[in-house]
Amino acid sequence: MWHCQEVPASLSPVRQSGVRAHNLALVLRTVANSADPPSRAAVAAATGLTRATISTLVDDLIAGALLTEVGPAPRSGAGRPAAGLRLSPDGPAGLGLEINVDYRAACVVDLTGSVRHRLVEKGDQSLPAVAGLAHQALLRASSDGLTVAGAALAVPGLVGAGGIIRVAPNLGWQDVTVGDLVPGLPLTVDNEANLAALGELAAGDPPASFVYVSGEIGIGAGIVLGGELYRGVRGWSGEIGHIPIDPGGPPCRCGARGCLEQYAGQEAIARAAGDLTVAGTALGTALATVVNLLDIDTVVLGGIYAPLVPQLHDAIQAEISRRVLTADWSPVRLRAATLGADAAVRGAAGAVLRGVLDDPAAWLSRIQAV
Amino acid sequence: MWHCQEVPASLSPVRQSGVRAHNLALVLRTVANSADPPSRAAVAAATGLTRATISTLVDDLIAGALLTEVGPAPRSGAGRPAAGLRLSPDGPAGLGLEINVDYRAACVVDLTGSVRHRLVEKGDQSLPAVAGLAHQALLRASSDGLTVAGAALAVPGLVGAGGIIRVAPNLGWQDVTVGDLVPGLPLTVDNEANLAALGELAAGDPPASFVYVSGEIGIGAGIVLGGELYRGVRGWSGEIGHIPIDPGGPPCRCGARGCLEQYAGQEAIARAAGDLTVAGTALGTALATVVNLLDIDTVVLGGIYAPLVPQLHDAIQAEISRRVLTADWSPVRLRAATLGADAAVRGAAGAVLRGVLDDPAAWLSRIQAV
DNA sequence: GCGGATTTGTTTAGTGGTTGAATTATTTGG
DNA sequence: CCAAATAATTCAACCACTAAACAAATCCGC
């Protein structure tokens, strides 16, 4: 009784060092979330920790090049002027990589979220080609004096445990192991829609829970719940392309009939030649199911849908209002992705940085060891 | 940049007392999850904390009547015999309440998961009647010497913030405030499917992520992700009754056509008079969507479906295998709920106990204050 | 232009909680 | 009956945070 197979993350003890790790992350996050560079005192007030504690935490974070002091902001009123704190542009950077049907891309993003380098190349969808692009990006980063903390690779397919690409239909891949793509750097492999959702979370200003819909040849979704990407048990969440719309509809490559992909996939959109009513209605029907199930209030449309939102909006919204039971109490917002085609690479780089921001203590001890 | 509107729960500082609170919960959970009563040394080994620390933590938990020592288990080999630890049956108990279309129920469950009292009455679906039942249950509990830590009420409807019942169609309720149903006890109000899912999580042996499908007059789902109930942004997750199955199907009371409820709701099941192929296929189609979206590998069928699983199983499973893209790599398991009609009340009581188990420090300081 | 008010940031003593080693307790086996 | 083995407790040390005093740097009023 009272046991389930996998116990939540709370199954690890907390020692005093864990307290410090947590509070380092707390301070870093507070600074990152502040609009203007906050003072130590402001961070103390925001977090509830004392100024003394904040001082020692900030010292560590500055020593690790995660934060920098910025000149005192002009302020009215009496008192010693505050030294502003902000994320350091010279701290760890993230390397984002993407391999897709007709291009591959890399970008280097620093802690402040600035894209420092961005490379896109067409053709040659192979892992060595991606490795080459990554190498180029790393060279440029190191010529800037940037330390790259890690890399993440976005692929249009199902990624299993250990970063194995189970199947990427549009690349023709099956059970591909990525291996040591970027020597010496920790590498994460993830689904393109998942990373794009993270990119949107970081760069756009969505609520903590939303669904990112990635329209490409297939249709995928990245699900963010409470500020965290929901990956599912095996990492294969968000497969919405084959939600059935009409059992009497056109046959789909998956074997069933009338899947969403047949109405709103890239090919269907192209065939529609501008009249996106059917696609919008199908998308709206599928999204109504998603919203009813997950009770999220924001849907972000990305990929090929992003530029089409003006034409899709009304049909989707109509269907959602009609089918979502709770639409009367809380309207569902529909918006276009802000990053467009870059969402996945940017999200990949952001995922690396998110790792550093979420556990700065690990980063500090990592650079200490060197 | 790097900010989202609602920051995750990590936005609170951790002081030393927080460490103790966390570790108290860790020890309690470890004992609860162990098959046999573990010794302090075993708990230390399992958690990674030292035996010294475990001793002081266990002292607090025993003083608070959350744990008890049980006589030394027969053991082979040399050495001082261990004192076994187990959850105390004399500790805090949970009061579960349920109001439904044709009955109301109450039960008292102790920390070990034993149902100590159980009351069911038919008719009179009113809050005062529930209050009366609750009062009876509390009397019986106190005559056992049990301290009831809190109560939870399961209702067949949408529950909003503050425990307001937004709408319970089958009770004919709208915007009902529950108020002080059980004087002096903290009361939680939640959706019936959500609490039933929690009941199943505690009493059955499901994996950490699963979906509980509650078939009643409407069809609802309780979603458990990583051992935690997923409630959604507004608390209205799991509305699967109106997933569209066939746009040309029979009209539904919601205004759309061919909703799942029309094929697998209580009335449709009754009409089907034993032939559940259509209902099973419709359920399978809807569940395939759920599985594709959430990537969970277990579906628990409860409510009216629980006794019908033998007849429903094949049709559902066939549809899932056909429509779930990843079914080849990881089969989806389908099982009947173990608690049957009691799932929601039991889950409600369990939710109270879960609160104590997740934060024993709060309970300890609460009984300290008295 | 000078003293007080005010706010920032640092220093220092104190406290809570964990660690690690030593100690005590209780059994089995030779 | 003593040695080996395992369980649990005690105690000094340490780490991170708190509270309060202190130092630094500015504004304001006269």
Side-chain angles (χ1 to χ4, degrees):
Chain A
M1 193 107 209
W2 299 118
H3 54 104
C4 48
Q5 287 180 5
E6 300 163 34
V7 188
S10 58
L11 187 55
S12 51
V14 169
R15 345 185 108 70
Q16 291 90 323
S17 64
V19 173
R20 190 148 190 92
H22 178 99
N23 286 337
L24 281 167
L26 178 63
V27 168
L28 196 55
R29 199 178 271 267
T30 303
V31 173
N33 290 349
S34 300
D36 298 320
S39 65
R40 289 167 172 77
V43 173
T47 58
L49 295 164
T50 63
R51 289 184 320 227
T53 303
I54 296 295
S55 272
T56 72
L57 291 167
V58 166
D59 284 349
D60 284 4
L61 292 171
I62 288 179
L66 292 170
L67 290 181
T68 35
E69 276 189 335
V70 62
R75 194 182 39 75
S76 60
R80 171 176 168 176
L85 297 170
R86 42 168 293 193
L87 293 177
S88 166
D90 305 320
L95 172 61
L97 301 170
E98 179 180 5
I99 183 162
N100 218 315
V101 180
D102 43 7
Y103 69 95
R104 55 192 195 282
C107 73
V108 178
V109 178
D110 69 24
L111 262 189
T112 70
S114 304
V115 178
R116 302 287 285 263
H117 299 285
R118 180 172 171 281
L119 297 90
V120 183
E121 286 183 4
K122 307 239 166 199
D124 193 2
Q125 269 51 263
S126 70
L127 284 177
V130 174
L133 204 62
H135 188 66
Q136 261 185 276
L138 284 178
L139 284 180
R140 297 204 190 175
S142 77
S143 78
D144 272 10
L146 285 174
T147 312
V148 174
L153 171 65
V155 296
L158 295 179
V159 179
I164 297 170
I165 301 167
R166 286 286 174 211
V167 55
N170 302 322
L171 294 176
W173 289 10
Q174 204 156 351
D175 289 321
V176 172
T177 307
V178 172
D180 202 13
L181 196 66
V182 194
L185 272 190
L187 174 71
T188 306
V189 186
D190 213 330
N191 176 272
E192 170 251 339
N194 281 350
L195 290 175
L198 280 182
E200 201 60 29
L201 178 65
D205 191 25
S209 298
F210 68 96
V211 167
Y212 174 92
V213 181
S214 161
E216 305 287 344
I217 290 182
I219 304 174
I223 303 171
V224 175
L225 304 178
E228 296 285 333
L229 186 62
Y230 174 73
R231 287 194 163 80
V233 173
R234 303 281 194 295
W236 301 332
S237 70
E239 290 297 322
I240 64 171
H242 300 275
I243 289 183
I245 301 297
D246 184 348
C252 180
R253 60 190 166 112
C254 76
R257 302 184 75 94
C259 295
L260 174 61
E261 208 170 290
Q262 295 303 311
Y263 300 94
Q266 199 166 42
E267 290 176 25
I269 295 273
R271 263 200 315 273
D275 183 5
L276 299 181
T277 323
V278 171
T281 303
L283 265 176
T285 305
L287 289 175
T289 295
V290 174
V291 171
N292 271 327
L293 186 64
L294 294 179
D295 178 36
I296 45 113
D297 60 3
T298 302
V299 173
V300 177
L301 293 172
I304 62 167
Y305 300 137
L308 300 176
V309 167
Q311 291 142 271
L312 288 168
H313 182 276
D314 290 352
I316 297 178
Q317 195 64 268
E319 208 63 17
I320 287 182
S321 309
R322 200 160 76 88
R323 295 183 177 276
V324 173
L325 306 174
T326 59
D328 291 345
W329 293 292
S330 78
V332 176
R333 275 163 302 183
L334 199 63
R335 56 167 84 169
T338 58
L339 294 180
D342 275 2
V345 230
R346 297 267 302 263
V352 173
L353 296 172
R354 199 181 154 87
V356 175
L357 287 177
D358 283 350
D359 190 4
W363 170 253
L364 293 180
S365 65
R366 194 171 137 196
I367 60 172
Q368 196 73 16
V370 177
Chain B
M1 196 106 210
W2 299 118
H3 54 103
C4 48
Q5 288 180 3
E6 301 164 35
V7 186
S10 58
L11 186 56
S12 51
V14 170
R15 342 186 110 71
Q16 288 91 322
S17 64
V19 172
R20 189 144 189 96
H22 178 100
N23 287 338
L24 280 167
L26 178 64
V27 168
L28 196 55
R29 197 178 273 268
T30 303
V31 173
N33 290 350
S34 300
D36 299 320
S39 65
R40 290 167 171 76
V43 173
T47 58
L49 295 164
T50 63
R51 284 175 314 195
T53 304
I54 297 294
S55 272
T56 72
L57 290 168
V58 166
D59 284 349
D60 284 4
L61 292 171
I62 288 179
L66 293 170
L67 291 181
T68 34
E69 276 189 336
V70 63
R75 194 182 39 77
S76 61
R80 170 176 169 178
L85 297 170
R86 44 167 292 194
L87 293 176
S88 166
D90 305 319
L95 171 62
L97 301 170
E98 178 180 5
I99 183 162
N100 218 317
V101 179
D102 42 8
Y103 69 94
R104 55 191 195 282
C107 72
V108 177
V109 179
D110 70 23
L111 263 188
T112 71
S114 305
V115 178
R116 303 286 285 264
H117 299 285
R118 180 172 170 280
L119 296 91
V120 182
E121 287 183 2
K122 306 239 168 203
D124 193 3
Q125 269 50 264
S126 70
L127 285 176
V130 174
L133 205 62
H135 187 65
Q136 262 186 275
L138 285 178
L139 284 179
R140 298 204 189 173
S142 77
S143 78
D144 273 8
L146 285 175
T147 312
V148 174
L153 171 65
V155 296
L158 295 178
V159 179
I164 297 169
I165 301 167
R166 286 285 174 212
V167 56
N170 302 322
L171 294 177
W173 291 9
Q174 204 155 350
D175 289 321
V176 173
T177 307
V178 173
D180 202 12
L181 196 66
V182 195
L185 273 190
L187 174 70
T188 306
V189 185
D190 212 331
N191 177 272
E192 169 251 338
N194 281 349
L195 291 175
L198 280 182
E200 201 59 29
L201 177 66
D205 192 24
S209 298
F210 69 94
V211 166
Y212 174 93
V213 181
S214 162
E216 304 288 344
I217 291 184
I219 304 174
I223 304 171
V224 175
L225 304 178
E228 296 286 334
L229 185 63
Y230 173 74
R231 288 194 163 80
V233 172
R234 303 281 195 296
W236 302 331
S237 69
E239 290 298 322
I240 64 171
H242 300 276
I243 288 183
I245 301 296
D246 184 347
C252 181
R253 61 190 166 112
C254 76
R257 302 184 76 92
C259 295
L260 174 61
E261 207 170 290
Q262 295 303 313
Y263 300 94
Q266 200 167 39
E267 290 175 27
I269 297 272
R271 263 200 314 273
D275 182 6
L276 300 181
T277 323
V278 171
T281 303
L283 265 176
T285 306
L287 289 175
T289 295
V290 174
V291 171
N292 271 327
L293 185 63
L294 293 180
D295 179 36
I296 45 112
D297 60 4
T298 301
V299 173
V300 178
L301 292 173
I304 62 167
Y305 299 138
L308 300 177
V309 167
Q311 291 143 271
L312 288 167
H313 181 275
D314 290 351
I316 297 178
Q317 195 64 268
E319 208 63 17
I320 287 182
S321 309
R322 200 159 75 88
R323 294 184 177 275
V324 173
L325 306 174
T326 59
D328 291 346
W329 293 291
S330 79
V332 176
R333 276 164 302 182
L334 198 62
R335 57 166 83 168
T338 58
L339 294 181
D342 275 1
V345 229
R346 298 267 302 261
V352 173
L353 296 172
R354 199 181 152 88
V356 175
L357 287 176
D358 283 350
D359 189 3
W363 170 252
L364 294 180
S365 65
R366 193 172 136 194
I367 59 171
Q368 195 74 15
V370 176

